[in-house]
Amino acid sequence: MAGTIKGLATYQLEEIGCQIILGNTYHLALRPTSELIDELGGLHKFMNWPRALLTDSGGFQMSPVDGKPMLLTPEESIQIQNRIGADIIMALDDVVKTTITGPRIEEAMYRTLRWIDRCIAAHKRPHDQNLFGIVQGGLDPVLRDICVRGLVDRNLPGYAIGGLAGGEDKDSFWRVVAQCTATLPEDKPRYVMGVGYPLDIVVCSALGADMYDCVYPTRTARFGTALVPEGVLKLKHRAMAEDTRPIDPTCACMVCKNYTRAYIHSLVTKDAMGSQLLSFHNLYYMMQLSKNLHSSIVQGKFPEFVCNFLQKMFPKGDIPEWVCNAMEVAEIDISSCCAPFRYIQATKVQSNLNEDEIQAV
Amino acid sequence: MKFVVKAWSNGGARAGILHLGTSTIDTPSLLLSTRKGLPHFISPDLLSCLPAPESRLLHVSPLHFLEGLSMKTISKIGGLHQLLGLHDHCFVAVPRDSIQCLPEANSTNKIGASFETPCGRLLIKPVEYMEMISSTRPELWATLADEVPAWVSDKRNKTSVDRTIKWLDECISISPASGAVFGAIVGGSSLEERRRCAQEVATRNVSGYWVGGLGLGESMDERPALLNAVIEALPEEKPRLICGLGLPEEILQGIAAGVDIFESTYVAQFAMYYHPTCLLTMLIAFTAIYRKDTTSIVEGCTCYTCRNHTRAYINHLLNVHEMLAQILLEIHNTHHFLGFFRLIRDAINAGRFEEFRREFVQRWR
């Protein structure tokens, strides 16, 4: 955010249960500048947010405002983040789109490794700011592996899985996450950057990721879309004008407890209050999802939670194949939610492989 | 609804107590402006941080709902309290909203009153208006009026008075069982017509009076005489409501004449156009000088914004066009404006309203 979550006051964020907010380093460096934030005591004090903050490196969104290309060195990125003062800061990495192929990906991965050392050297506040490294390497498991090992060697407080959420197909996406979580240390947080949709978060959590960031909940709110267990609800739709139910009858947020879809429909895209109320609900929904993931894991009921979640989102059992494959690798049995035909298909593939392997031996 | 006058101070200014719904409100008091029933920017969970009970009177224009929500649906949901999730607040319905639902006198005719709204020009008949009232169920509502600006012909002005009285009678005859009705009084800039209208309305069975048609082109100098012409014809014991007076000075004028409840879009205007205003220190237009200012907007102000945020932060939010700026400003400005009304009430109770008014106007200028 540029010093605020769109349309919500810090009191509301606390009420919703937000524990950590991401600050957009590029925007903050532009306005009001990291020097000013530093002079006024850091971002926590500037926005009066008593909980945690994370800043990104400022490198990901380098579209220039004034037409001049902006070069950000690792040293500059860390300096800016030191001044802003967030609890977690991100190393500057060389990000390439996963849809790109060729030597550029390898170049980006090695550069990311060289830069982590420069970031570590430039970091003036290792005692109060945690520098996370970011794993790059595109969709190539060999490159990803080299990057993971390189970062783990530096013994950082946490690790991010970067370079995803940029247009790659879901099947490639989950495999990269699975590979990274399998090889990153168990006792350090794993942060999948730019993810995302509730379904993606559930899958990545099953695979062993811990942290996520996404503009999706608030951005989609501004377009009149609410997050619900079934997926999404488009409040702009004319049918909503007469719907006197709450957005989500199972949601305990102040929006669902007090307002009907009809009223929200009358506000969305026309009045600021509409996007405020929807942003509130959507963030509450995401916080609740995180809480439920957390508590179901702690209580040893994670597979049930996942099944429940998938059943609501895919009542016909038409769970996407990538989700089924990912859950299998995560060793979460979701057979009860899959339509029988699909499940048999998936397991058939598995048993065919086994036969081939045996024959080869 | 119950209203009792408690104290007077030099002339027309009076302090009273209004019992409305479940609230007991001291007058003179302010109606907060809303858009479709909720403030423009202050979300409902932050409304409770405004001083109570004085922040509980909300002005609602039923016309706002015509954009996207049918009266049938509102009725099905149960009226404004259910629709808006505000059970401790009181709703005062007046069709006119001085920012977005302006009376369009040229299009008003014998069938209904015309308004210029975000969903185009609307002609509202008395029977349609009463359907809105019975669906929304406000605690208090004003009858439909033909409001004309100051520059219309005498003939047009006279017609507006005749129509307003006719529509008042129609509205009352269709009136729902609940909700206090305030009779609308118009008359443009003509002292005679104002008096005539007030005298007529005073004979009707209403709980109070809504002085309409002001803030539509008459000058501040003309207004005291017009207000007096109206108020003199009205019984003392019933409350008077007025819309369209924006500036603090104009509010003071209205109070001096004997008005009790005010709808003013002063706060909303400033929140919408990025202009924070602090009445007593006259802080206007955030500029670069506030970049590093770590003080609150007003020192010692106890509003949510001043307790939690600095001028520097709000300056930043304004520069990056973040909605949070408008939310925080609407909170502060509302809080501050309500404080202004409290000072007025204190002055009236102490019998020194005219001194207060003089001092304020001097400092303001």
Side-chain angles (χ1 to χ4, degrees):
Chain A
M1 46 82 198
T4 166
I5 301 272
K6 293 215 177 299
L8 294 174
T10 48
Y11 160 78
Q12 292 172 297
L13 294 171
E14 281 181 83
E15 288 288 299
I16 289 173
C18 263
Q19 298 175 89
I20 179 167
I21 302 178
L22 184 147
N24 188 310
T25 299
Y26 175 75
H27 286 144
L28 291 171
L30 223 50
R31 289 185 292 202
T33 74
S34 59
E35 288 85 353
L36 182 95
I37 294 176
D38 191 19
E39 203 181 318
L40 297 185
L43 187 59
H44 289 89
K45 194 149 178 231
F46 186 58
M47 41 179 304
N48 195 16
W49 174 245
R51 295 183 183 175
L53 286 169
L54 180 153
T55 44
D56 58 23
S57 61
F60 190 58
Q61 297 144 299
M62 287 216 281
S63 47
V65 159
D66 53 358
K68 289 191 223 138
M70 201 182 97
L71 283 176
L72 197 67
T73 64
E75 290 75 18
E76 282 165 347
S77 168
I78 298 301
Q79 265 165 32
I80 292 170
Q81 293 186 78
N82 280 158
R83 284 187 217 117
I84 293 173
D87 305 278
I88 299 175
I89 65 175
M90 304 306 296
L92 184 68
D93 55 345
D94 187 6
V95 197
V96 284
K97 282 207 192 92
T98 41
T99 42
I100 289 179
T101 53
R104 178 74 184 94
I105 307 175
E106 186 168 348
E107 178 192 54
M109 186 278 288
Y110 281 112
R111 184 171 289 146
T112 298
L113 280 181
R114 289 196 301 280
W115 280 0
I116 188 66
D117 289 327
R118 288 170 63 180
C119 287
I120 293 168
H123 187 19
K124 294 276 182 301
R125 303 173 55 182
H127 299 294
D128 46 346
Q129 289 183 290
N130 298 280
L131 174 64
F132 278 27
I134 307 179
V135 180
Q136 294 295 346
L139 302 176
D140 185 333
V142 173
L143 295 178
R144 285 277 176 179
D145 190 56
I146 297 170
C147 203
V148 166
R149 283 193 276 116
L151 290 176
V152 171
D153 274 349
R154 273 76 174 172
N155 195 24
L156 297 163
Y159 303 94
I161 302 166
L164 298 173
E168 69 284 343
D169 64 288
K170 282 291 196 278
D171 200 54
S172 312
F173 158 74
W174 79 261
R175 286 177 203 280
V176 172
V177 174
Q179 183 198 351
C180 292
T181 53
T183 45
L184 284 168
E186 288 281 308
D187 60 345
K188 304 264 174 82
R190 300 92 169 268
Y191 164 28
V192 189
M193 303 186 80
V195 167
Y197 300 123
L199 180 62
D200 298 0
I201 288 178
V202 171
V203 170
C204 290
S205 300
L207 293 171
D210 310 294
M211 290 167 60
Y212 311 92
D213 82 273
C214 201
V215 296
Y216 177 63
T218 46
R219 183 168 291 168
T220 208
R222 293 197 292 282
F223 288 102
T225 301
L227 299 177
V228 292
E230 294 75 23
V232 296
L233 192 70
K234 302 217 159 131
L235 273 309
K236 261 168 64 175
H237 207 273
R238 222 167 343 130
M240 296 289 132
E242 258 119 63
D243 197 332
T244 56
R245 295 173 289 173
I247 290 173
D248 175 8
T250 67
C251 179
C253 84
M254 85 72 192
V255 179
C256 292
K257 283 187 121 152
N258 288 294
Y259 301 100
T260 55
R261 296 173 182 195
Y263 182 65
I264 306 283
H265 165 83
S266 74
L267 295 176
V268 290
T269 71
K270 295 195 208 97
D271 297 287
M273 187 59 66
S275 59
Q276 260 198 68
L277 293 177
L278 271 187
S279 292
F280 188 99
H281 164 77
N282 284 356
L283 280 181
Y284 186 95
Y285 182 85
M286 298 304 287
M287 292 300 110
Q288 203 54 40
L289 176 65
S290 312
K291 261 194 214 139
N292 291 337
L293 285 166
H294 177 92
S295 55
S296 68
I297 292 170
V298 163
Q299 290 164 20
K301 294 188 181 148
F302 184 66
E304 288 101 307
F305 174 80
V306 173
C307 283
N308 208 296
F309 177 87
L310 291 173
Q311 261 159 2
K312 290 210 201 94
M313 197 169 273
F314 303 102
K316 292 191 225 149
D318 53 339
I319 296 173
E321 201 166 332
W322 72 272
V323 176
C324 297
N325 294 338
M327 288 302 175
E328 191 153 353
V329 165
E331 294 175 14
I332 303 290
D333 179 8
I334 57 166
S335 51
S336 60
C337 335
C338 287
F341 180 63
R342 284 216 89 141
Y343 180 68
I344 290 168
Q345 261 202 325
T347 50
K348 234 192 190 156
V349 170
Q350 195 62 24
S351 50
N352 281 346
L353 282 173
N354 289 339
E355 278 170 24
D356 289 342
E357 281 163 25
I358 293 167
Q359 277 177 4
V361 166
Chain B
M1 187 215 86
K2 220 176 68 137
F3 178 71
V4 174
V5 179
K6 261 181 32 188
W8 283 264
S9 175
N10 346 79
R14 64 220 210 130
I17 303 184
L18 179 73
H19 300 275
L20 194 60
T22 54
S23 299
T24 299
I25 313 267
D26 291 325
T27 64
S29 58
L30 172 70
L31 300 183
L32 303 193
S33 12
T34 65
R35 173 95 199 115
K36 292 174 186 156
L38 290 181
H40 297 262
F41 298 104
I42 307 176
S43 73
D45 54 334
L46 286 175
L47 262 182
S48 54
C49 76
L50 289 173
E54 56 244 67
S55 63
R56 293 218 186 115
L57 283 182
L58 302 180
H59 167 238
V60 173
S61 166
L63 306 187
H64 290 175
F65 298 108
L66 296 176
E67 185 187 35
L69 199 56
S70 75
M71 286 299 140
K72 211 172 95 195
T73 306
I74 296 180
S75 195
K76 183 172 163 208
I77 294 170
L80 289 173
H81 288 276
Q82 297 303 119
L83 182 73
L84 306 169
L86 296 175
H87 302 283
D88 295 332
H89 288 72
C90 292
F91 296 99
V92 175
V94 178
R96 168 186 168 183
D97 149 6
S98 306
I99 293 183
Q100 286 181 319
C101 285
L102 298 160
E104 186 41 67
N106 290 335
S107 307
T108 294
N109 54 39
K110 62 182 177 194
I111 298 177
S114 178
F115 293 88
E116 200 63 66
T117 75
C119 41
R121 193 167 294 177
L122 303 172
L123 189 70
I124 310 291
K125 305 178 206 169
V127 65
E128 285 166 347
Y129 179 63
M130 289 316 296
E131 197 208 327
M132 291 181 216
I133 296 298
S134 62
S135 301
T136 52
R137 291 172 232 174
E139 275 79 7
L140 200 163
W141 53 277
T143 59
L144 192 64
D146 177 8
E147 293 180 272
V148 297
W151 52 80
V152 297
S153 67
D154 290 340
K155 186 166 171 235
R156 177 68 183 89
N157 195 22
K158 186 175 178 302
T159 307
S160 78
V161 171
D162 295 333
R163 257 185 216 149
T164 299
I165 296 169
K166 178 163 168 280
W167 290 345
L168 184 156
D169 289 332
E170 271 186 62
C171 287
I172 294 181
S173 71
I174 318 170
S175 167
S178 65
V181 54
F182 273 33
I185 299 170
V186 293
S189 302
S190 156
L191 291 173
E192 285 147 45
E193 287 301 307
R194 283 277 171 190
R195 204 171 289 126
R196 177 170 81 93
C197 195
Q199 282 164 350
E200 274 298 323
V201 175
T203 67
R204 301 318 200 256
N205 184 18
V206 291
S207 305
Y209 307 98
W210 172 59
V211 184
L214 290 177
L216 290 177
E218 79 287 352
S219 70
M220 262 190 74
D221 297 327
E222 287 179 80
R223 213 180 286 137
L226 294 169
L227 283 174
N228 289 333
V230 169
I231 303 286
E232 274 161 14
L234 301 177
E236 256 185 11
E237 69 278 5
K238 291 191 183 172
R240 303 95 177 233
L241 161 66
I242 196 167
C243 292
L245 303 189
L247 298 174
E249 259 182 304
E250 297 178 287
I251 305 282
L252 292 172
Q253 236 185 11
I255 291 177
V259 179
D260 308 292
I261 310 168
F262 295 79
E263 178 266 334
S264 162
T265 45
Y266 189 55
V267 168
Q269 280 179 336
F270 284 116
M272 280 164 73
Y273 301 122
Y274 293 177
H275 246 145
T277 181
C278 160
L279 300 171
L280 299 182
T281 64
M282 293 183 288
L283 182 69
I284 296 173
F286 264 53
T287 57
I289 60 170
Y290 301 116
R291 274 190 81 231
K292 297 187 186 178
D293 193 335
T294 55
T295 61
S296 52
I297 299 178
V298 173
E299 199 185 314
C301 175
T302 55
C303 81
Y304 174 85
T305 303
C306 289
R307 278 186 287 116
N308 288 290
H309 295 294
T310 60
R311 295 177 180 192
Y313 183 57
I314 298 173
N315 177 266
H316 164 69
L317 294 176
L318 288 167
N319 286 332
V320 296
H321 307 290
E322 279 291 340
M323 202 200 309
L324 184 60
Q326 291 156 296
I327 299 169
L328 295 177
L329 291 176
E330 196 182 20
I331 291 175
H332 169 78
N333 290 343
T334 304
H335 187 104
H336 212 84
F337 208 30
L338 288 171
F340 174 61
F341 273 80
R342 202 175 315 124
L343 291 176
I344 290 172
R345 291 192 294 271
D346 289 346
I348 295 175
N349 285 323
R352 46 176 305 275
F353 174 72
E354 280 306 319
E355 289 105 280
F356 171 85
R357 183 186 179 190
R358 252 195 326 268
E359 280 163 20
F360 182 89
V361 169
Q362 258 174 4
R363 248 190 306 172
W364 181 256
R365 289 224 180 101

